[in-house]
Amino acid sequence: MIVILKPNPNEDQLESLKSWLIGKGLQIHMSIGTSHMILGLVGDTSALDIDLISALEIVEDVKRVQEPYKNANRKFHPEDTVIPVGSTQVGGGTLTIMAGPCSVESREQIIAVAKAVKASGATMLRGGAFKPRTSPYSFQGMGAEGIELLKIAREQTGLPIVSEIMDASQLPLFADVDVIQVGARNMQNFNLLKVLGAQPKPVLIKRGLSSTYEELLMSAEYVMASGNEQVILCERGIRTFETYTRNTLDISAIPVLKHLTHLPVIVDPSHATGKYALVAPLALGAVAAGCDGLLIEVHNDPAHALSDGPQSLNPDAFDKLNRKLIALHGFLKEGEAAK
Ligand code: PEP
Ligand code: MN
């Protein structure tokens, strides 16, 4: 349920409404917008009398929220969420570019890629230390050492670091990682989501291979209900009947999610296609469709990458693409401003 207040509500009346609602066992999610303040009520609201609340002097309107996700719902929080990360941010009109190798492979490799993507205008360095591979015989990642190498690359470039956690037991290793990624295969690892909700770092949740928008939003809700509102959603392609591409990029996810939720939405064209030649057109399409950022795999030597080489851009290709992405985003923003 949401309670929309009239502008400049009387403070005493607001406090007594809030304590009354808390007394009913509800949690209140306050959203202060430019014109209205909204109280989002989380919990069992079935016994609340809508007419009684609507009749209060400070209340403009009361609505039931049908969707099962509440904290993530745009009705609870009409303005876009902006997530500060280091000296940059995700959302709020910024184009976040997370770039880097699928796997951290060595000190030389991660530093070379970090410097290259930074020079091309990437805003964050992404690298996997723990890798969820389909085969147990494939490279599983460098683990804790990979996280340490990412931190060294951050020191040398100033880029915040993003890396994937696979299990709640790994959390201590991520205490100094700027954005913690939950991979597609772990999107419904509810125990992991709850643990990430109880820690302060932003969480990037990738859409499961065959998950609906609502399921993705419910995963975000798990993190938010546990106390962490800093959630970034990532469309990374879904499983369809098509086999030419690794997955099928669901471009509709961008406008649909932006409509349903206030959380930032980023797109991963690398895992969506599995082919380096398809990364640029889909990345440009995703920016045109209104995403808040991209996650792009870049390797200094894709032919010898220990994972996902065929979908990785080399630094030159990334440089050309990123310049186009920044230009396209700037052009679209100018168009918005001219409206
Ligand atoms: C990754 O980001 O390297 C990864 C494994 O992606 P996904 O979880 O989307 O498959
Ligand atoms: Mn990968």
Side-chain angles (χ1 to χ4, degrees):
M1 184 182 282
I2 55 169
V3 180
I4 303 162
L5 302 178
K6 288 183 183 155
N8 308 312
N10 174 288
E11 276 182 30
D12 293 339
Q13 291 181 29
L14 176 56
E15 279 318 307
S16 63
L17 172 59
K18 280 166 63 183
S19 8
W20 181 71
L21 292 166
I22 291 167
K24 298 266 175 205
L26 299 171
Q27 277 176 9
I28 304 177
H29 178 110
M30 297 267 289
S31 167
I32 303 172
T34 41
S35 62
H36 285 92
M37 195 187 291
I38 293 177
L39 307 184
L41 309 184
V42 185
D44 182 6
T45 57
S46 55
L48 284 188
D49 181 345
I50 289 203
D51 294 335
L52 188 75
I53 304 172
S54 307
L56 296 174
E57 206 182 314
I58 56 168
V59 173
E60 185 163 300
D61 202 3
V62 183
K63 289 182 188 151
R64 290 216 178 267
V65 172
Q66 306 301 340
E67 297 83 7
Y69 49 91
K70 310 292 178 190
N71 289 286
N73 202 313
R74 196 179 271 284
K75 290 176 188 158
F76 266 48
H77 189 295
E79 322 230 326
D80 287 348
T81 282
V82 179
I83 302 176
V85 181
S87 59
T88 177
Q89 64 179 41
V90 184
T94 310
L95 183 67
T96 297
I97 305 288
M98 301 175 176
C102 179
S103 301
V104 178
E105 297 172 10
S106 68
R107 185 188 173 107
E108 295 66 36
Q109 174 242 18
I110 193 65
I111 289 173
V113 177
K115 286 187 173 164
V117 299
K118 161 102 185 194
S120 302
T123 55
M124 294 189 199
L125 174 66
R126 213 250 8 181
F130 296 94
K131 297 305 306 176
R133 305 304 300 281
T134 303
S135 165
Y137 309 117
S138 304
F139 177 58
Q140 301 285 306
M142 291 183 80
E145 195 186 346
I147 301 279
E148 289 312 308
L149 294 177
L150 282 167
K151 290 186 203 164
I152 295 171
R154 174 176 61 193
E155 244 170 61
Q156 298 210 3
T157 57
L159 291 176
I161 53 177
V162 185
S163 201
E164 176 171 353
I165 190 166
M166 283 177 56
D167 188 86
S169 64
Q170 296 161 350
L171 190 62
L173 295 170
F174 285 75
D176 192 22
V177 168
D178 300 289
V179 175
I180 305 180
Q181 176 180 325
V182 175
R185 290 155 192 83
N186 258 324
M187 188 202 88
Q188 289 190 318
N189 181 339
F190 300 121
N191 185 47
L192 177 61
L193 297 173
K194 283 189 206 168
V195 166
L196 293 175
Q199 60 78 51
K201 293 294 163 99
V203 180
L204 164 66
I205 307 179
K206 298 187 97 179
R207 182 180 181 187
L209 275 67
S210 51
S211 299
T212 63
Y213 302 141
E214 188 167 295
E215 286 164 343
L216 173 59
L217 290 167
M218 288 310 287
S219 295
E221 191 74 16
Y222 259 95
V223 176
M224 299 174 91
S226 303
N228 184 354
E229 310 235 309
Q230 303 189 91
V231 179
I232 304 159
L233 303 175
C234 179
E235 161 59 35
R236 45 77 75 206
I238 50 174
R239 188 65 57 98
T240 68
F241 53 82
E242 184 53 71
T243 53
Y244 183 82
T245 47
R246 184 174 181 181
N247 293 289
T248 297
L249 182 67
D250 176 15
I251 205 121
S252 312
I254 306 162
V256 173
L257 291 171
K258 299 282 301 173
H259 171 70
L260 297 176
T261 180
H262 50 89
L263 298 172
V265 177
I266 70 162
V267 169
D268 170 356
S270 307
H271 292 88
T273 60
K275 290 179 156 72
Y276 76 90
L278 300 179
V279 169
L282 292 190
L284 288 159
V287 170
C291 69
D292 295 292
L294 293 156
L295 190 164
I296 299 176
E297 286 191 338
V298 181
H299 197 285
N300 51 341
D301 183 8
H304 295 102
L306 296 183
S307 60
D308 287 349
Q311 68 193 32
S312 300
L313 298 185
N314 63 31
D316 272 355
F318 175 70
D319 188 66
K320 286 198 186 78
L321 170 59
N322 209 32
R323 286 175 202 285
K324 284 190 201 161
L325 294 171
I326 293 168
L328 175 61
H329 182 248
F331 172 77
L332 293 169
K333 260 181 110 167
E334 268 172 39
E336 273 301 307
K339 263 194 207 159

